[in-house]
Amino acid sequence: MNVRPGSPYPLGATWDGSGVNFAIFSENAMKVELCLFDSPDSARESARITLPEQTDLIWHGYIPGILPGQLYGYRIHGQYDPGRGQRFNPNKVVLEPYAKAIGRNIRWSDEVHGYRFRDPKEDLAFDSRDNAPFAMLAAVIDPAFTWGEDRRPRTPWHETVIYELHVKGFTRRHPRLPEAMRGTYAGLGSDEAIHHLKDLGVTAVELMPVHHHAYDRHLVERHLSNYWGYNTSAFFAPDIRYSMSKSSSGTVREFKTMVRNLHAAGIEVILDVVYNHTAEGDHLGPTLSLRGVDNVAYYRLDPKNPRFYQDYTACGNTLNMRHPRVLQPIMDSLRYWILEMHVDGFRFDLASALARELHAVDRLGAFFDIIHQDPVISQAKLIAEPWDLGEGGYQVGNFPVGWAEWNGRYRDSIRRFWRSD
């Protein structure tokens, strides 16, 4: 296969009409292999290509002839030494952090763990089995979309009425929607759903997480699901479970159509986003993406014993917001959803966790500094869930100018009033 050097920017898989540029960050990797899959049913990759170039810790290469819809993942080579925080395992195909669409969801098995699952040595026992038949895969997309005269409503805060909803739950129960549209982005963007929202006087919908997320293995084995979705796997990809479309690019187009229809009715779209942790859990969790791409860079590790994670989220891990290459995909994700998907704002789950520089919550941390100077993100509606589960994490009233907050004190007072207690 003809592989050219390509470019370190932009990160992710970028189709230019003639081929695809692949670029992925890994500071501590020794080699990066791109794996191409023919279909979601493929048990192994049809091609494995070593990315030929590294520029400023970005591994990259350009492959002519690849088209939108191509499924891919990565094998990242490096040290496996959990005691030092290193968890590279090239036997595991991992999802890249910039995946714009999901081409295959995870299929739970022991092989998706970087260590020998259920071994007495736990995560110290390196697993050499191949996870290719079970790994979550990304898909190359064609981002083209006809937005027409789409305009952001830009409703002032003092006139904003937010309806928090779950895309699947809201549309699944709507009696006037056709069965095929229930539970989907298409259903939320339908005339029937919009008419209901307009009758209520709603000016904005705040969507519970639509970033693609993983159902934890213990839930799947009990035939349950993570309904709310606060278990993100991909910061750029809309969840394929909420799509009528059967194609990865079709899911992206369906989401854009939903936003365009809501905007035409004067309704803003705010996303509930989870950037504080990922679905990979603690040191005994699976290797799905960031853990296998560069665990030391992406996660906050215990400085006394890097085998373990600092957990301010009660979900097993916390993203390392002190690292510039970890801040970058979060900022790029926010800009992507604003510029490419035309959303109007964000509600940040456990926002205090994003503000932790060392241990204490620092409301002037790098995360907020970058957002305030960003000409795109700073103009969106920004809402903090102003707490996390760490020490000093309750920060209601302490977020910077330009941020709204979910006000827990006000909420609790109103609840007590209505209960008459």
Side-chain angles (χ1 to χ4, degrees):
M1 185 172 287
N2 181 17
V3 183
R4 302 174 185 171
S7 170
Y9 185 86
L11 286 159
T14 306
W15 182 63
D16 63 5
S18 299
V20 177
N21 189 80
F22 293 92
I24 183 171
F25 159 78
S26 184
E27 181 174 358
N28 297 292
M30 299 175 181
K31 183 171 77 170
V32 173
E33 292 179 305
L34 171 69
C35 302
L36 303 180
F37 290 77
D38 289 337
S39 77
D41 297 323
S42 298
R44 62 179 63 252
E45 59 265 49
S46 58
R48 190 185 298 188
I49 303 142
T50 300
L51 293 186
E53 299 290 331
Q54 185 191 32
T55 305
D56 190 21
L57 308 179
I58 306 295
W59 303 76
H60 54 92
Y62 179 90
I63 305 177
I66 290 184
L67 298 173
Q70 174 67 59
L71 305 183
Y72 69 98
Y74 285 97
R75 295 184 187 270
I76 315 292
H77 295 251
Q79 292 186 336
Y80 188 87
D81 185 357
R84 294 174 50 239
Q86 303 282 9
R87 294 180 180 270
F88 293 106
N89 188 336
N91 301 298
K92 311 302 174 182
V93 175
V94 294
L95 184 74
E96 72 141 316
Y98 277 74
K100 301 295 195 308
I102 302 301
R104 185 178 77 188
N105 211 352
I106 185 173
R107 299 168 177 172
W108 284 110
S109 71
D110 290 355
E111 286 86 346
V112 301
H113 293 264
Y115 63 96
R116 291 194 298 272
F117 193 60
R118 298 187 179 94
D119 190 290
K121 295 181 180 179
E122 296 185 322
D123 57 315
L124 300 179
F126 181 80
D127 184 26
S128 59
R129 291 173 297 178
D130 193 350
N131 77 334
F134 315 105
M136 192 181 307
L137 300 178
V140 177
I141 68 164
D142 177 359
F145 182 76
T146 304
W147 284 103
E149 297 182 359
D150 181 64
R151 296 289 184 273
R152 303 182 189 280
R154 299 192 183 278
T155 308
W157 269 119
H158 68 282
E159 296 177 5
T160 298
V161 179
I162 297 176
Y163 188 125
E164 182 190 24
L165 62 84
H166 187 286
V167 169
K168 182 176 181 179
F170 176 84
T171 57
R172 191 78 191 124
R173 303 289 293 174
H174 197 296
R176 293 197 181 96
L177 285 180
E179 183 65 28
M181 295 181 72
R182 295 186 181 187
T184 69
Y185 305 118
L188 183 55
S190 68
D191 291 341
E192 292 80 4
I194 290 173
H195 180 74
H196 175 69
L197 294 169
K198 294 293 288 184
D199 277 353
L200 293 175
V202 170
T203 69
V205 289
E206 182 179 303
L207 308 185
M208 299 184 79
V210 294
H211 289 174
H212 191 82
H213 69 280
Y215 292 167
D216 290 315
R217 181 176 182 172
H218 69 91
L219 294 177
V220 173
E221 291 177 346
R222 294 164 60 195
H223 305 289
L224 299 173
S225 65
N226 183 326
Y227 177 71
W228 300 119
Y230 292 89
N231 207 29
T232 302
S233 304
F235 296 132
F236 293 78
D239 200 306
I240 58 176
R241 302 180 190 93
Y242 307 151
S243 175
M244 277 183 65
S245 174
K246 303 305 180 185
S247 73
S248 49
S249 290
T251 296
V252 176
R253 288 192 296 270
E254 184 177 328
F255 187 94
K256 291 178 177 180
T257 301
M258 175 197 72
V259 174
R260 185 181 62 189
N261 293 350
L262 288 165
H263 281 178
I267 298 175
E268 294 180 306
V269 178
I270 298 171
L271 303 187
D272 193 338
V273 290
V274 185
Y275 293 117
N276 52 74
H277 75 281
T278 75
E280 292 185 299
D282 63 11
H283 65 292
L284 298 180
T287 295
L288 306 178
S289 181
L290 306 184
R291 175 172 286 140
V293 174
D294 197 329
N295 188 64
V296 171
Y298 274 107
Y299 290 116
R300 295 195 64 157
L301 307 181
D302 185 335
K304 296 180 181 179
N305 188 351
R307 176 186 174 189
F308 302 106
Y309 296 85
Q310 292 183 312
D311 181 11
Y312 297 108
T313 66
C315 297
N317 62 64
T318 306
L319 284 187
N320 181 18
M321 303 300 291
R322 299 169 296 182
H323 196 298
R325 289 295 192 184
V326 180
L327 279 170
Q328 182 180 3
I330 293 174
M331 298 304 152
D332 287 348
S333 169
L334 292 169
R335 279 188 290 268
Y336 175 80
W337 287 96
I338 295 170
L339 297 175
E340 292 293 327
M341 308 296 259
H342 284 209
V343 306
D344 303 281
F346 307 93
R347 176 267 188 189
F348 293 82
D349 181 69
L350 299 182
S352 293
L354 303 175
R356 291 184 180 272
E357 289 291 306
L358 296 173
H359 176 72
V361 174
D362 176 9
R363 71 186 182 93
L364 298 179
F367 175 73
F368 298 103
D369 290 342
I370 293 174
I371 282 184
H372 278 199
Q373 61 80 39
D374 190 283
V376 174
I377 305 172
S378 64
Q379 301 307 303
K381 277 188 163 78
L382 304 173
I383 307 169
E385 181 184 35
W387 49 76
D388 66 15
L389 298 187
E391 181 182 350
Y394 192 80
Q395 292 291 317
V396 171
N398 291 333
F399 276 73
V401 173
W403 285 74
E405 301 177 15
W406 272 19
N407 191 329
R409 293 170 183 161
Y410 180 81
R411 174 203 62 200
D412 292 349
S413 296
I414 294 298
R415 179 187 293 150
R416 290 197 303 270
F417 171 78
W418 283 111
R419 288 194 315 218
S420 302
D421 64 359

